[in-house]
Amino acid sequence: MSNVPTDRQYLSSHEWAQQVEGVVVVGISEHAAEELGELVFIELPAKGDEVVFETQFGEIESVKAVSGLNSPVTGKVVEVNQELIDSQAAISDSPFEDGWLIKVEPAIDSGLDLLLDHKTYQAQLDGS
Amino acid sequence: MKKTVLNAAHQRHGARLVEFGGFEMPVWYSGLTEEHHAVRQRAGVFDLCHMGRFEIVGDDPVAALDRVVTQDVSRMKKGQVRYSLVCNDEGGVLDDILIYRLPDRLWLVVNAGNRQKLLHWFGERLVGAKVIDHSEDLAMVALQGPLACSLLAPHIDRAHHRAVADLGYYRISRAQVKLTGTPIDGWISRTGYTGEDGFELYIPSGSAESVFDALLDLSDEVIPCGLGCRDTLRLEAGMPLYGHELSEQQDPIGAGLSFGVSLDKEGGFIGEPALREVVARGPRRQLRGFVVEGKRPARQGAVILHDSRPVGVVTSGSPSPTLGVPIACGYVDSSVSEEAPLEVDLRGKSAPLSPHPLPFYRRTAETAHSE
């Protein structure tokens, strides 16, 4: 059973968003990281790029397959986790902390109110 | 989704299960890369029960089978195993199979996803013989890797006290498997799909789980291995996978499998006239191997470009655990020279392809014996 922290919100496609001092930190859930297995490549947007709610903003590739990364928030990228470019191990080892992907300054119509709370996301995992 | 008789064992050993060929199968247990290296350096155990195990019976099963497969079965020695294709009338590949000519019977092992299709095809096209499906009553497990022979040898009794080490590459024989409390009568072949030395055991399905566990208990160096590493091992070894390099629209000549096609065998076979034509005019496209520059693997379906013009398509691609770079194979139009600079379109971004001879990996210690 994978961990679903209660201090953030989720997309059904397994990305999470956590609001910290006006900025939204984005990552993928432990469930997603476990499903992907060993990671070999990640493509993330650059600082300053716009990301759109429920729209692909990057790609993550495991030994077996490539998956799109969907943004849980609309806004402007203010920081990218550069350590992931060389090694994606932090995503597998610590998907909710060290393995964060991008930080976003949310737009007014950010979409954050449409995200799943931890209970709903947990129920989705339990049902699958 | 169907399950093999080893499904409970996979769950016990912590497998991540996925659908493959209509079966729920382990894609990995500890991790793809670790399992891949275990097979290259030590030994790994695979569940192959999803594959189809057929017997051809009749007055002259060899002659009957010779009309529907590309390999010359009549020239196989008793105890020999050979790779073959089953082609349709147009020379397209219905499946790639292994043929086992035992002293007293004739066996085939076919791909899981093609089991029903081939049962139907053999049922319709075999003249004077019929096909019996043993996939349910006979289990198949593999021990692959450089330690396989020394680990297995003390637990296998062969007829006339011949040692397992003396079983030649691509040979099969009856065996008494003494891995569990009671000796189990079955067969052993020195075959595999990994590019390493290794063995495949054929035993009654009721014994499968105890044999699977006993193989894992042979040594701490043996681990259970999933289909994920089976795919990267076979890709490095330059072996085709049905649904990737092979399909009903692809002839075996362009796939580089002429060694499995006996155009001159007496009596001909289904697809032979079409394949003669392919050989005469040359295949339209040919399978080639590549290293993809950069860290990003090219996957099945990625378009191969020359001067920004599509000239081919990737059939398999993955990070290569042994080479440490992404490798791929794919079909390229025969009109494009080997030296032509090629690129692959990775979802809108192109990466250069460096040609690499197939196979990507060949084991150094040759274990081919003649028996």
Side-chain angles (χ1 to χ4, degrees), chain A residues 34-35 37-38 40-41 43 59 61-66 85-86, chain B residues 16 27-28 31-33 228 231 295-297 299 318-319 347 349:
Chain A
E34 285 170 358
E35 287 292 314
E38 297 161 60
V40 297
F41 181 84
E43 186 173 70
E59 282 182 345
E61 187 141 13
S62 75
V63 282
K64 283 302 286 177
V66 62
I85 305 302
D86 283 333
Chain B
R16 178 161 297 273
V27 62
W28 57 68
L32 188 155
T33 307
D231 189 36
K295 293 174 76 174
R296 201 172 188 184
R299 304 290 183 181
S318 169
R347 298 174 296 283
K349 287 185 186 154

Side-chain angles (χ1 to χ4, degrees), chain A residues 25-43:
Chain A
V25 187
V26 173
I28 66 168
S29 72
E30 189 175 294
H31 172 82
E34 285 170 358
E35 287 292 314
L36 285 164
E38 297 161 60
L39 302 174
V40 297
F41 181 84
I42 192 164
E43 186 173 70

Side-chain angles (χ1 to χ4, degrees), chain B residues 78 167 236 238 329 367:
Chain B
K78 289 179 177 176
L167 184 66
E236 287 183 350
C329 55
T367 48

Side-chain angles (χ1 to χ4, degrees), chain B residues 6-78:
Chain B
L6 291 171
N7 193 272
H10 300 322
Q11 305 212 19
R12 236 180 334 103
H13 292 289
R16 178 161 297 273
L17 298 165
V18 297
E19 191 276 338
F20 180 81
F23 287 81
E24 187 178 66
M25 296 297 291
V27 62
W28 57 68
Y29 304 79
S30 49
L32 188 155
T33 307
E34 183 182 340
E35 292 165 26
H36 182 107
H37 290 315
V39 173
R40 286 272 179 265
Q41 293 157 17
R42 298 176 297 276
V45 180
F46 294 86
D47 172 16
L48 304 179
C49 294
H50 61 306
M51 303 195 79
R53 289 164 293 285
F54 296 169
E55 184 177 5
I56 308 295
V57 296
D59 289 340
D60 191 349
V62 168
L65 185 63
D66 251 332
R67 302 286 79 75
V68 288
V69 299
T70 59
Q71 186 61 261
D72 193 341
V73 190
S74 72
R75 293 178 69 174
M76 287 173 65
K77 293 181 188 132
K78 289 179 177 176

